Amino acid sequence: MSSQATATAGSYEFKAETRQLLDIVINSLYSSKEIFLRELISNSSDALDRLRFEALTSPELMEKGEILEIRIEADTDARTLSIIDNGIGMSRQEVIDNLGTIAKSGTREVLEQLEKGDKGRDSIAQLIGQFGVGFYSSFIVADKVTVVARRAGEETATRWESDGGGSFEIGDDSRFLRGTTVTLHLKPADPDNGLDDFADHYVFQNVVKRYSDFIPYPIRTKIPLQEPELDSEGKPIPGKTTSKIEEVTLNSMKPIWTRPADEVKDEEYTEFYRHISHDWSEPLDRLSARAEGRIEYQALLFLPGKAPFDLYYRDQNIGLQLYVKRVMIMDRCEALLPTWLRFVKGVVDSADLQLNLSREMLQQDRHINQMRKWITRKVLDHLKEMRTTDEEKYLKFWNEFGSVIKEGVSGDPDNQKRIVPLLLFNSSADSTKLTDLAGYLERMKEDQEEIFYLSGENRTAVESSPHLEAFAARGVEVLYLVDAIDEILVQALAEWEGKKLRSAASGEVDLGAKEDNDEADKELEEKKEEYKSLLEALQGKLGDQVKEVRLSSRLTTSPSCLVGEEGDISPQLERLLRQTEGAMEVPSQKRVLELNAKHEVMTKLQQRFAEDGEDPALDDYAELLLGYALLAEGSDLPDPSKFNRLLAELMGRGL
Ligand code: ADP
Ligand code: MG
């Protein structure tokens, strides 16, 4: 039979990644079997939202006065449980694509993470959580799943069926109603292993109440009731009952943000977060805010516990749900958040917005802009508060989203002053703790005029850089910038509280008290005179690789290092610009090779040079000193094999 994704009936293979994911889901999510119901109801709710949106422009998709709802039907004899909605439904192609052949973006990343190590079950659940397995969670409780769907506006229905093995079957169905029915053929109940009898209405009623109470469509079911039989006077006849079927709605449908906060359980907030974010894990924090006055709106916002895989992808799902007077009008309204807060999830409900806003109009809409500013301010205030009241939580937040927040420093000048106090950096002052700029300013030397930083790949690389030697010797603190975005941040910020930000790897360093400096300057001047011809000779050898060769005031233990001129872009930024998609050709900037006149290599080299004049080995020493400087700062050597050969020869000569 056909195995490619054409819309014919027959047997189809699951996409390999989907298959793998299914295995993991079925085998790792033991502890929370009942979540399948939340996922299926969530999908039905999404499908009803979509129908409502499409019906705004195509009213013929819905009957007049039709009630949008989700139904649960249980058959205790057949051991099936069906979740039925009259939402948007699916075409045959959509069924094939959505339920089996198209792996979601991020699947591969999850699987790679899982393969990397022998992760515990918790972290598997967490990884899957970030990704969300949604529909596939059905196979935790079912050994066969049947989906029947008819898309709004289409005549025919499609049936999808699978036992969660390698394939699924596609066929026709006579379903008459628009929407989707998911029927689970339940595995035998096994309460000892947490597998409850989900066909039992008490069981699923509880699950719905726990996870899906806020769903804005009625979740209805028929419940069999035993009522006492009544006599002709309307009195119960002892020992006699009649059975009756009653139709009930299981959820309150109350928008969670309209309920008084002290009446909503944490668990309910968490479930609401999961529904809107499609993230299974728990949020780190939430905040609610209300603006009253000329225009009214309220927001319920969440900070996720983990950064999603697609935080840096362009096509990620960002934005807040936008409601107007309790009715959702947009699922992901990007215009409500600045990009540097794109990880925030939640809802905003406004009383004054037009209902028929198009996506294009949103960006310019005055109310929306006002709301974005207000939301931004609320989140910033909340983070500021969190920093002072719950350091641990703030650090968790910072580890996940700090580098996105940093984008705001360059991207949102209006809020720069509020963002900067939230920034945390690695620093030479403390190897175990991050610091903010206020902490740095407090610890600054009395006559220190600048905030020093050094960029690099990671803390270890930066820490061992020769550029820091003079700073360490004089006890001057240096911030370690180890995030790619940091370079852009320091360029955009330039100064803080009147102190310039200055790279420890550029320009001549001038640290310490005035008198000490005068002393050191004098010494350096004398050395410069002494080393003049050697420096010139080295400059001659390296002229096409460095701008200048000079003596250094920043080195104490290393023989050499490379520095930029003040205002040059750093090698890190150069690398970043090169990696940027569609970047222009970035010319490589020549830098200055600084040499340590007090280092043995230099004193001996000078001695030999003074006695014998130009020496054939000087070429090699020049290359080695440059290579040393490149390696020390974590840069790549232009010709590593040559460096190695020179080093080996030198060792040979030395022995
Ligand atoms: P997600 O909900 O995160 O997209 P799921 O695995 O839960 O992932 O569902 C996959 C897709 O299947 C959905 O995006 C949707 O397109 C489709 N789908 C699932 N259930 C329904 C439904 N009841 N009605 C219409 N489409 C559905
Ligand atoms: Mg889903």
Side-chain angles (χ1 to χ4, degrees):
M1 283 257 155
S2 162
S3 67
Q4 80 241 56
T6 51
T8 53
S11 180
Y12 290 79
E13 298 289 312
F14 278 116
K15 180 126 177 169
E17 282 146 52
T18 306
R19 172 64 271 145
Q20 252 175 305
L21 196 68
L22 259 166
D23 277 343
I24 296 168
V25 172
I26 296 167
N27 295 316
S28 65
L29 297 173
Y30 298 101
S31 55
S32 42
K33 295 188 164 62
E34 74 275 16
I35 49 104
F36 78 91
L37 192 52
R38 154 186 105 196
E39 292 302 318
L40 296 179
I41 289 173
S42 184
N43 285 349
S44 288
S45 173
D46 291 347
L48 291 163
D49 284 342
R50 287 189 49 203
L51 176 73
R52 218 165 37 74
F53 290 141
E54 290 196 16
L56 290 178
T57 47
S58 314
E60 72 281 2
L61 293 180
M62 269 172 80
E63 304 287 324
K64 259 216 165 65
E66 197 183 355
I67 293 170
L68 298 181
E69 63 170 13
I70 300 165
R71 302 193 60 80
I72 299 181
E73 281 178 10
D75 183 332
T76 43
D77 298 330
R79 295 207 42 74
T80 59
L81 185 69
S82 297
I83 290 79
I84 305 160
D85 65 68
N86 53 353
I88 193 71
M90 284 181 269
S91 68
R92 176 163 298 187
Q93 192 61 52
E94 283 170 335
V95 169
I96 294 170
D97 289 346
N98 296 338
L99 307 182
T101 51
I102 293 190
K104 298 186 223 188
S105 65
T107 316
R108 189 162 283 286
E109 284 86 342
V110 176
L111 295 170
E112 276 167 8
Q113 293 264 333
L114 288 174
E115 268 163 22
K116 259 186 217 154
D118 54 337
K119 306 248 176 191
R121 197 171 293 157
D122 280 354
S123 62
I124 289 179
Q126 205 181 36
L127 272 169
I128 292 175
Q130 289 175 55
F131 168 77
V133 276
F135 172 75
Y136 300 122
S137 61
S138 312
F139 289 102
I140 304 173
V141 297
D143 43 30
K144 189 169 83 178
V145 178
T146 311
V147 179
V148 172
R150 187 161 80 76
R151 198 178 193 296
E154 287 188 8
E155 299 295 313
T156 56
T158 300
R159 168 189 288 265
W160 177 103
E161 196 160 76
S162 175
D163 60 6
S167 61
F168 57 88
E169 303 291 326
I170 289 288
D172 297 327
D173 195 272
S174 56
R175 182 186 167 116
F176 171 70
L177 294 168
R178 179 201 65 229
T180 305
T181 299
V182 177
T183 300
L184 308 178
H185 305 263
L186 296 168
K187 292 177 187 171
D190 181 3
D192 292 342
N193 289 310
L195 187 55
D196 294 324
D197 184 359
F198 290 104
D200 179 341
H201 65 89
Y202 283 114
V203 174
F204 69 74
Q205 236 173 310
N206 269 329
V207 178
V208 171
K209 200 74 196 150
R210 164 123 48 98
Y211 292 106
S212 313
D213 190 60
F214 52 81
I215 294 289
Y217 303 96
I219 303 168
R220 298 162 75 85
T221 193
K222 286 197 175 73
I223 291 186
L225 288 178
Q226 297 293 320
E227 290 198 334
E229 205 170 300
L230 304 180
D231 62 18
S232 53
E233 289 166 26
K235 294 211 180 90
I237 306 168
K240 287 214 158 183
T241 56
T242 53
S243 43
K244 194 179 138 190
I245 302 283
E246 197 174 357
E247 176 91 14
V248 293
T249 301
L250 301 175
N251 57 329
S252 78
M253 291 185 278
K254 263 202 160 167
I256 199 163
W257 61 94
T258 62
R259 295 166 55 193
D262 54 358
E263 281 176 19
V264 185
K265 286 188 243 137
D266 282 350
E267 206 192 38
E268 292 180 85
Y269 279 120
T270 299
E271 289 310 327
F272 179 69
Y273 165 76
R274 288 176 166 148
H275 173 65
I276 59 168
S277 67
H278 292 223
D279 170 8
W280 279 19
S281 41
E282 289 194 19
L284 178 72
D285 208 2
R286 64 166 185 269
L287 61 134
S288 31
R290 173 190 290 273
E292 268 157 300
R294 212 161 46 77
I295 52 170
E296 275 177 37
Y297 32 81
Q298 52 181 329
L300 173 60
L301 306 175
F302 296 90
L303 304 175
K306 279 257 161 219
F309 289 105
D310 56 2
L311 191 57
Y312 291 97
Y313 295 170
R314 217 166 297 167
D315 58 351
Q316 57 169 327
N317 299 326
I318 50 178
L320 302 176
Q321 287 191 343
L322 179 59
Y323 285 70
V324 174
K325 298 196 187 91
R326 322 272 182 270
V327 178
M328 200 220 284
I329 62 162
M330 198 172 290
D331 190 15
R332 296 190 182 104
C333 183
E334 291 178 34
L336 288 172
L337 289 171
T339 55
W340 56 276
L341 286 178
R342 59 182 175 274
F343 50 83
V344 175
K345 303 285 178 202
V347 303
V348 181
D349 193 345
S350 158
D352 311 86
L353 224 55
Q354 280 176 285
L355 272 167
N356 57 349
L357 274 176
S358 71
R359 258 175 210 283
E360 297 68 43
M361 282 157 63
L362 276 175
Q363 295 292 347
Q364 288 102 289
D365 188 85
R366 202 166 44 87
H367 277 154
I368 296 278
N369 283 337
Q370 218 166 3
M371 279 156 79
R372 180 179 58 244
K373 282 191 187 138
W374 177 77
I375 289 163
T376 306
R377 192 65 65 79
K378 289 290 164 198
V379 175
L380 282 170
D381 288 349
H382 186 81
L383 291 173
K384 185 176 166 193
E385 167 88 12
M386 199 205 289
R387 253 219 86 190
T388 48
T389 57
D390 194 342
E391 177 89 22
E392 200 186 326
K393 193 187 260 183
Y394 187 79
L395 279 175
K396 270 193 204 151
F397 165 78
W398 184 258
N399 281 333
E400 297 297 326
F401 301 108
S403 43
V404 181
I405 293 285
K406 285 173 180 173
E407 293 174 16
V409 175
S410 53
D412 192 345
D414 289 347
N415 283 304
Q416 197 186 63
K417 290 240 146 34
R418 289 188 185 81
I419 298 170
V420 173
L422 296 172
L423 304 178
L424 299 182
F425 299 97
N426 276 281
S427 148
S428 61
D430 192 330
S431 61
T432 58
K433 278 223 284 283
L434 300 174
T435 181
D436 56 8
L437 286 180
Y440 183 99
L441 292 177
E442 252 168 51
R443 291 184 296 269
M444 265 171 85
K445 300 264 164 197
E446 219 164 278
D447 47 5
Q448 189 180 335
E449 293 301 326
E450 291 160 313
I451 299 171
F452 292 104
Y453 65 84
L454 187 62
S455 325
E457 289 290 303
N458 52 53
R459 187 175 170 111
T460 327
V462 179
E463 222 161 20
S464 51
S465 164
H467 296 111
L468 293 179
E469 288 170 7
F471 293 85
R474 292 185 182 72
V476 174
E477 182 175 352
V478 178
L479 298 176
Y480 299 159
L481 304 188
V482 293
D483 230 352
I485 183 84
D486 287 339
E487 282 291 334
I488 293 163
L489 185 151
V490 290
Q491 301 283 336
L493 188 58
E495 63 165 65
W496 184 245
E497 309 251 311
K499 306 281 183 195
K500 260 192 167 168
L501 273 77
R502 164 94 188 271
S503 166
S506 78
E508 309 225 15
V509 290
D510 201 358
L511 302 169
K514 181 99 181 42
E515 312 80 71
D516 295 354
N517 278 340
D518 290 346
E519 184 73 18
D521 284 352
K522 216 173 106 216
E523 206 184 319
L524 194 62
E525 282 313 313
E526 287 169 14
K527 290 272 185 215
K528 272 187 189 160
E529 205 43 50
E530 185 188 340
Y531 278 76
K532 194 158 181 277
S533 14
L534 175 61
L535 294 177
E536 275 166 12
L538 288 170
Q539 169 103 49
K541 311 271 177 219
L542 298 175
D544 52 350
Q545 297 179 73
V546 300
K547 211 185 261 181
E548 190 192 339
V549 178
R550 70 177 177 222
L551 289 187
S552 176
S553 54
R554 77 182 80 220
L555 296 172
T556 59
T557 52
S558 297
S560 63
C561 71
L562 279 163
V563 302
E565 297 286 39
E566 240 178 294
D568 279 0
I569 63 168
S570 69
Q572 285 77 23
L573 185 55
E574 207 176 293
R575 223 172 298 153
L576 189 69
L577 291 175
R578 283 219 184 86
Q579 285 163 3
T580 314
E581 230 179 292
M584 293 176 302
E585 197 59 21
V586 184
S588 160
Q589 275 190 81
K590 282 193 198 171
R591 289 183 293 151
V592 175
L593 181 67
E594 285 198 355
L595 299 172
N596 180 359
K598 291 182 187 147
H599 195 280
E600 211 186 351
V601 171
M602 288 308 293
T603 52
K604 293 206 165 137
L605 204 57
Q606 166 63 15
Q607 218 172 19
R608 227 158 93 175
F609 191 78
E611 283 164 15
D612 310 342
E614 173 91 52
D615 152 357
L618 197 63
D619 264 338
D620 299 353
Y621 284 109
E623 287 291 341
L624 285 166
L625 284 166
L626 177 61
Y628 180 96
L630 283 167
L631 286 177
E633 67 177 20
S635 291
D636 294 333
L637 295 173
D639 186 353
S641 60
K642 183 175 177 199
F643 182 84
N644 266 352
R645 199 188 68 234
L646 293 176
L647 193 62
E649 281 170 14
L650 185 71
M651 287 195 287
R653 259 179 274 153
L655 288 168

